[in-house]
Amino acid sequence: MDASRLRRHFVAVMAKHLPPSSSTLRLLDLDGHSSRLLAQSRKDLQVCHIPASELAARGVATAAFDAVLAYDLSLSASLLKSCLRTLREGGRLIALQPRGAASESHWRRLQDQGYVRILVEPALDELGILIRGEKPHAAADTMARIQSVARADDDALDLAHFSGRYFHLLIQRHPNKPVWKLAPGEKIAWCAAAIRRHSAPVLLGFSSLPKAVSFLQPAVLAGFITNINKVGKFSVEQARALEWDIVLNPALDSLRGQTLSFIDVDPALAEAPDE
């Protein structure tokens, strides 16, 4: 496999480890090439490129990024420290080294600089090393963490005024079982949560995965919605083309007294999910 094609495969591996973010993912690219490849499949990126050798001297704002990409770079203690400072709480350093083998030393290097939820594993068919670490959260409560990310979202209430590229729907997936358990010929169906206004369904949409989850938990506890087993990700461009009627980021209180319904959506229209 030639070098450019191999790099594309490696960047695809890195993409799978991007964190859930607000409607736009703020990405710092330290190698100057990975984000260009990644942008071909992810249209929600706000990219900043700073060479790794200049990061410490640039004075980048603290908590400025959701993720940092580092392809084929030496992860020195000073670089790891600078990356951690630029990440928001829960933000991720995602590094890929195309040579070598995964070892405990990679894991310990990140731990020594304060990273948590560290993952070190072979990147691609035992080739290369995927190294991932997160900046610790100050809040211990999971919902508080999710809401801190969701608060950065666009507050638009409809797609016409929304600046993001993707939105999320609350899905009932039938049957609710993994693909390998499906019987021959058995198909997956998705039904998306909606309310009815003037006898027409209006989908409940959310500008990011954290925004959807921060709505869903209190909605379930309040008994407003049940049996949601998936959050589907869709492109805004596609929704506009299909003329879907969507209320974006609804407040739970604004829906009290509304009639909840579910409408069929084609799973094939969905984008690859966030982690």
Side-chain angles (χ1 to χ4, degrees), residues 117-198:
R117 295 189 66 194
I118 300 165
L119 176 68
V120 178
E121 64 182 15
L124 187 66
D125 295 330
E126 305 301 319
L127 186 63
I129 315 164
L130 185 283
I131 303 169
R132 189 189 85 187
E134 289 188 5
K135 184 171 183 174
H137 284 275
D141 180 69
T142 300
M143 279 307 301
R145 298 175 181 179
I146 292 171
Q147 289 165 358
S148 70
V149 178
R151 280 193 291 270
D153 264 7
D154 192 322
D155 288 330
L157 294 177
D158 59 69
L159 293 188
H161 299 93
F162 179 45
S163 61
R165 301 293 184 91
Y166 302 103
F167 69 99
H168 295 71
L169 298 177
L170 306 179
I171 301 294
Q172 287 184 349
R173 182 180 184 270
H174 305 284
N176 185 23
K177 57 185 179 182
V179 173
W180 56 270
K181 280 193 172 183
L182 294 176
E186 189 175 14
K187 294 183 178 180
I188 295 291
W190 283 13
C191 297
I195 56 173
R196 301 199 72 83
R197 287 183 178 171
H198 309 297

Side-chain angles (χ1 to χ4, degrees), residues 72-90:
D72 199 13
L73 295 174
S74 175
L75 300 179
S76 66
S78 60
L79 180 60
L80 290 173
K81 184 177 180 179
S82 295
C83 291
L84 191 67
R85 183 182 61 80
T86 67
L87 287 167
R88 65 157 168 89
E89 293 181 9

